Amino acid sequence: MPDREPMSPARRRQLIVGLVVGLIVGIAVSVWTGFWVWLGAGLAVGLAAGAIMKPPGEDDDASGARKR
């Protein structure tokens, strides 16, 4: 079984930010519609967005130039 790299701090922060944004959006839509299932949907979308996106600077090299 191949060794997995530990999660980088930037990736961890990105997942946390995704969850927080999803929570805020879920609460806002839930209050607006009166249907509280949107809270779970907001958390799921925030987690998915945080997991899919790359953290800023992950594709930069040491000199600051972007990789192609």
Side-chain angles (χ1 to χ4, degrees):
M1 183 172 185
D3 291 334
R4 295 178 56 180
E5 292 182 21
M7 187 181 297
S8 71
R11 172 68 83 189
R12 188 174 303 115
R13 278 193 308 268
Q14 184 170 347
L15 287 173
I16 292 169
V17 168
L19 281 173
V20 169
V21 170
L23 178 67
I24 292 168
V25 170
I27 288 173
V29 173
S30 295
V31 168
W32 183 46
T33 62
F35 187 59
W36 290 99
V37 176
W38 286 114
L39 179 61
L43 286 173
V45 170
L47 182 63
I52 290 172
M53 294 175 16
K54 283 200 265 183
E58 191 173 274
D59 57 350
D60 294 344
D61 62 9
S63 67
R66 293 182 98 46
K67 293 181 184 176
R68 294 190 189 255

